[in-house]
Amino acid sequence: MSHATLWKPRTELEANPIGLDKEVVSSIVGQLDEHVASLFTLFHQYQKHHWLVEGPQFHDIHVFLEQSYNEVHQQVDAIAERLTALGAIPTSAPAQQAELSYIEHEPEGVFRLRNMLERDREAEGTIARKLRTTISQCTKLGDFGTETLLKQVLLKVEERAHHLDHYLGEDSLGLGLDG
């Protein structure tokens, strides 16, 4: 199959219609692209865990994981759309996204539920830390639109991490009944 001639290279940064200086935009688009790639990695991880979850809490966790991957997908889309508003082209090829991602893809195969959820919680924590760095930079640069968007994403990331932490908590219902 022949490919058409490339109209715009992915690395080309266009003028944006929202009035941000090219210097401001060029200093944050790389981080935004890394967030898109990392959130896509997390999306795939949540979807895999949704498919493979088993055990007594199957239904609740199955539903939580589905809600999580749907939410993460919306966040990927919102940040990628922001990249285009800034005049950038988001990375979309899976192999290039895997290279950009600061979240490592989980190996193929099935892990115990606790291990899957711990990995999800760890990924959410990493994303939260990275988002805070970009938010801080956006604030300093005066990109309040991107700052606001990332703050909204951050709140959802923190909420998912908090819920995962509860799923991973010790079961206290049986404590004290043995003696």
Side-chain angles (χ1 to χ4, degrees), residues 4-10 12 14 89:
T5 304
L6 188 62
W7 182 41
K8 295 180 202 173
R10 190 192 66 75
E12 183 179 312
E14 295 182 339
I89 301 170

Side-chain angles (χ1 to χ4, degrees), residues 11-144:
T11 56
E12 183 179 312
L13 189 60
E14 295 182 339
N16 63 71
I18 58 177
L20 284 172
D21 291 336
K22 196 170 190 173
E23 295 78 35
V24 169
V25 172
S26 65
S27 65
I28 60 168
V29 294
Q31 291 175 57
L32 294 178
D33 211 19
E34 288 176 3
H35 293 312
V36 168
S38 300
L39 285 163
F40 251 130
T41 300
L42 181 61
F43 166 82
H44 291 290
Q45 184 169 293
Y46 271 132
Q47 196 162 47
K48 174 187 172 188
H49 296 170
H50 167 79
W51 295 332
L52 300 174
V53 65
E54 294 180 352
Q57 291 180 297
F58 162 80
H59 185 265
D60 290 342
I61 296 174
H62 185 75
V63 169
F64 169 77
L65 293 169
E66 181 175 13
Q67 290 168 344
S68 295
Y69 73 70
N70 284 326
E71 191 172 81
V72 169
H73 192 267
Q74 290 172 352
Q75 294 167 342
V76 166
D77 189 57
I79 297 172
E81 291 285 346
R82 183 65 182 180
L83 275 163
T84 64
L86 293 171
I89 301 170
T91 301
S92 61
Q96 282 71 37
Q97 285 180 338
E99 289 177 20
L100 277 178
S101 178
Y102 49 79
I103 302 295
E104 191 174 320
H105 273 275
E106 181 177 272
E108 292 294 337
V110 179
F111 297 89
R112 297 240 180 242
L113 177 57
R114 178 165 285 281
N115 297 126
M116 290 190 295
L117 297 180
E118 286 170 345
R119 186 169 180 88
D120 295 336
R121 182 181 60 186
E122 179 182 325
E124 294 283 15
T126 299
I127 291 170
R129 286 187 295 280
K130 296 281 192 173
L131 283 170
R132 287 186 201 103
T133 299
T134 307
I135 290 166
S136 177
Q137 186 174 6
C138 289
T139 303
K140 289 176 192 167
L141 294 170
D143 182 359
F144 303 117

Side-chain angles (χ1 to χ4, degrees), residues 164-177:
L164 286 162
D165 202 49
H166 281 288
Y167 280 122
L168 291 165
E170 294 298 321
D171 182 6
S172 62
L173 292 176
L175 294 179
L177 296 179

